Amino acid sequence: MQQNNGLDKNQLISFGVLSLLLIGFMLYFQNRQASTEQENIANQAKKTEQTTAAKANAATELNANVTPNAIQKVNLKNDELSLEFSSLGGQVSSVRLNQYNAYDGKNKNKPLYLFSNKNAEYGFEFKDKAGKIVNTKDLVFTPSVAGNTVTLTSQLSGATIQFIYTLSPKYTLDFKVRTQGLANLTSDKNATFKWNYNVRESEKGRAQEQTHTEFTYAFDNYKAYDYDARSEMDETKETLNWIGVKQQFFAAVIEAQHGFTQSKGYQDNIETGEYLKKFNYDGQVAFTGGEFNQDFAWYFMPLDLPLLKSYNKNFDEILPLGWSFIGSLNRHVFMPMYNLISSWGIAAGWAIFIMTIIVKLILSPVMYKQHKLSAMMKVIRPEIDEVNKKYKDADPMKKQQETMAVYRKAGVNQLAGCLPALVQVPLFYALFRFFPNMIDLRGKSFWFAEDLTAYDDLIKLPFSIPFLGDHLSIFALACTIVILIYTMMTAGNMQQPQQEGMPNMKVLMYIFPVTFLFFLNTSASGLSWYYFVSNAINIIIILVIKYVILDEKKIHAQIQENKQKAPKPEGRFQKRMREMMEQAQEQQKQQQKNKK
């Protein structure tokens, strides 16, 4: 039989022609698909224009005394907010937070708008007695301004609808709805508040901000709070005191004096462009005696913890600092610690540096025990290897029992090494929540990082790598290198599995820092800086313990002395583990006997 060593000349030519044909077909159908998508976009735009025109005509029919040409814009302003109101729908059409800027790679003073360019619209919807749907966002109102109050009035088939907005200090806009004669127009007992909102990107790091953008709401008389990042929100069984849409550092919230019922919502990601997500919300508000007289309040606010707590409406829960102990750790430890250090007038990056050192000092007794245990494990490694060699072909249970006996005689408690890891898990998660949500760090630069709440991208790639992006964060790279060095210094003390099929823990330990790079590359640079400093301190601690504090010869002598003494009585956990292993060993022997 002739062996096929590869493709001959004719096969290569055939393969090349086939490849060219396939590429040609792909380009042809790709162009066809692009043309079809452009036609669909044009048709959709045409339909949108027709729908808008139909709504305008409907609004003109319902409100014949005022024409669409009479649409006006009026403004209110205080130190915190600049607001614009439109006579079309009587809505807040523009909201700017005066003391904050949005992220822009070129313009560092780009104004930060929550509402603008028709990205948000809202109104109250009900049916007239003929069954025709009326939505106040389609009506034309007449505005009047008196001091810090804007009153917008619309006439609808003999009924009068008024929206009264009053700009209060700081970030609050009181909103009252008053009607006269509405009972003659509708038999409905409720109106549906409809709010459509396309959230605009305002931070560096689209993926991170998109993750933090979601529905947020309170119920049970402001006592209970929840958030919803799912596509569909369904809270028909609760009366919501307020409903809002939060971003990474800002939120737009509307509060109803008597609450929203039958609440439903929808949200979906917008993958490209200036908007992050689109939101739709429906909730019912009740009429009183056939009239719509309800009090509301809009809040357009930064997610600053002291500010949120000052409202006493459970707004502070909007800030995602973590649940239960994690949230308490951030609220009562890390945030006050950072605020205290930063009040000394030092740069934000150095404040994080000092905070890291303080945390390490607090954890130093635990860390010392961990590294001392590591040193002791290294000293008794030859004896562990001897046990593994002696019982190489023995039952795994027997080998494990003998290994535990060596540890017990040497006075080494393996469980003591788990404590530092368990202590650091909540700290890790708390800081993971702290850095991307601490508004005091927003826009604070440090070295090559423009914003400590976002990634640094000094190294830009000409292409995008899946899960990594189109850049390399220097802080993330530095942190990864330090973790690798730390791993190399500690992996030597790890006992390798002797059983077949068991994973090599050393390999897994080296893989972890690499995967950490993918995680940190798009995370807050403040978080990467913290972990860099933390692991650098860990390396210093190991070197100090190894060369200054601990003497391996003394440890070895102490272990030999412990072995000569009567073994310490077993602890409850050790006794339970030994009994379980003995029981498992007996069961294994019985099974082998039954097979024979």
Side-chain angles (χ1 to χ4, degrees), residues 474-485:
I474 295 179
F475 274 133
L477 280 172
C479 184
T480 302
I481 292 170
V482 169
I483 294 176
L484 277 170
I485 295 172

Side-chain angles (χ1 to χ4, degrees), residues 4 73 89 98 100 119 155 161 180-182 189 233-234 252 344 372 392 394 435 439 460-461 464 505 535 562 582:
N4 184 5
K73 304 287 186 181
N98 298 328
Y100 296 90
N119 74 315
Q155 302 297 325
I161 300 176
Q180 288 183 352
L182 193 63
K189 296 181 180 180
M233 181 193 76
D234 189 346
W344 301 341
K372 182 179 179 181
K392 181 179 180 181
F435 286 103
I439 197 168
K460 297 185 184 294
L461 302 176
S464 181
M505 294 304 296
N535 284 282
N562 290 340
E582 290 175 352

